[in-house]
Structure formats: C-alpha cells, structure tokens
Amino acid sequence: MKTFKGKVLFLDRSDINTDEIIPAKYLTEITKEALKPYLLEDLTLEGFNNEEDIKDKAVVITRENFGCGSSREHAPWALEVNGINVVIAENFARIFRQNMYNCGMFAIELPKEKIDYLFDNYAGKDTEVEIDVDNDKIIVVAEGNSETIDFKVGGFDKTLVKEGGWVGYADKNY
C-alpha cells in the first residue's frame, strides 16, 4: 500500500483537465519516471509554478471536476511518480477517478462546503494531510492545530487502494 500522508498542494481552480495534468505531447513516454518533470506543466493558475510548487507535495486539494478531458492513465501516473497519491476535490471526471483507484491512489470527494472550508482555513499555510484508510478520515494539520474530516469511499475502491491498485488486487485474487 502506498503512503497517504504529506504536504498539501492547493490548486484553487475547477475543471483542471488531463492535458493540464500531463500534456499530451508526453504520452509517448514509455516509463512513468519519464513523465515526472512534466506534471502540471500546462496548468494556468495565477501564481502557480509547477517546478517549485509541486516539490515535496503528497496531496492535492482542488475544486470540482478534476481530471476532466481525455481519458488517460498517464494523469494518475504523473501524479504518482511525483509522490502525490491523494487528490481531494468536490468531484472528479468519472474515468480519471477510476484510474486513480486502479493505480491504488485516493480520489476523495468532499462536499463543496468542506472544500471551501479547507481553502479558507488552510491554503497558504504549511498544511499536511494524512489519510486514515481504515476509518475513512482525513487528518489535517497546520500551525500546530489538527482536525479530522470524515469521507466515504466505496468498499472495492478501498480494497484497490489497500492492494496498491488493480494489478496488486488481481495478483492476490486471481
């Protein structure tokens, strides 16, 4: 099972698409590692610098419809190879969401009010998040304070996360 704990990258925009997550011109790369330097290269967001802002981050918190656009496994792979195994958003494009779970990564959906709360209270701070996989809890820590937020994930999706993705699940069960 992957690690689901670390510093947060806040991306305050809806509709971040897979071409912004990993530009299509890199889809011919044959290893995940080759995708690493290009994560969010084409993302347009005021004040965002992919080379500086991604470094040492393990969790993304963003707005609605994350991962829309073309369906491709490369988008979760680019996140994964950069150490980001959790994306928290209002909602996700359906195929992107399932690709995350198929790779053993979390795509956690929270209501708009909770996402707004996280941005209002934690964006711009040195914020860390830890996912309590067994108890469906997000532990948020910043400036010496911590709080817990509940979330829901389907049973099979949680199994995929625990097994490291679809391949790990298949190896164990087939």
Side-chain angles (χ1 to χ4, degrees), residues 78-95:
L79 291 164
E80 179 184 31
V81 76
N82 278 278
I84 297 171
N85 292 315
V86 178
V87 180
I88 301 170
E90 292 174 40
N91 54 53
F92 296 89
R94 182 184 56 82
I95 293 173

Side-chain angles (χ1 to χ4, degrees), residues 21 39 66 75-84 87 96 100 105:
I21 297 168
L39 177 64
F66 189 82
W77 292 346
L79 291 164
E80 179 184 31
V81 76
N82 278 278
I84 297 171
V87 180
F96 174 84
M100 289 283 287
M105 302 162 68

Side-chain angles (χ1 to χ4, degrees), residues 100-157:
M100 289 283 287
Y101 284 106
N102 289 346
C103 292
M105 302 162 68
F106 265 114
I108 297 174
E109 295 181 348
L110 293 178
K112 179 183 183 340
E113 300 76 34
K114 287 188 181 179
I115 295 293
D116 289 343
Y117 175 83
L118 290 169
F119 272 94
D120 292 345
N121 291 283
Y122 294 103
K125 297 179 181 176
D126 187 20
T127 304
E128 292 196 17
V129 160
E130 180 176 358
I131 306 302
D132 180 343
V133 176
D134 292 320
N135 297 304
D136 298 341
K137 298 198 181 297
I138 301 167
I139 301 139
V140 184
V141 179
E143 298 179 349
N145 298 312
S146 70
E147 67 179 290
T148 302
I149 298 170
D150 295 327
F151 70 94
K152 292 182 179 144
V153 63
F156 186 66
D157 288 337

Side-chain angles (χ1 to χ4, degrees), residues 40-78:
L40 300 173
E41 179 181 88
D42 287 350
L43 179 64
T44 303
L45 187 61
E46 187 175 335
F48 177 75
N49 179 317
N50 72 316
E51 292 178 8
E52 295 173 14
D53 295 343
I54 294 168
K55 187 178 180 181
D56 300 323
K57 300 300 189 299
V59 177
V60 170
I61 297 178
T62 188
R63 301 292 181 172
E64 65 183 325
N65 203 27
F66 189 82
C68 58
S70 304
S71 62
R72 57 178 66 134
E73 293 83 4
H74 295 75
W77 292 346

Side-chain angles (χ1 to χ4, degrees), residues 7 11 30 33 38 69 110 112 117 146:
K7 292 183 179 182
L11 298 176
I30 59 172
E33 192 64 33
Y38 310 115
L110 293 178
K112 179 183 183 340
Y117 175 83
S146 70

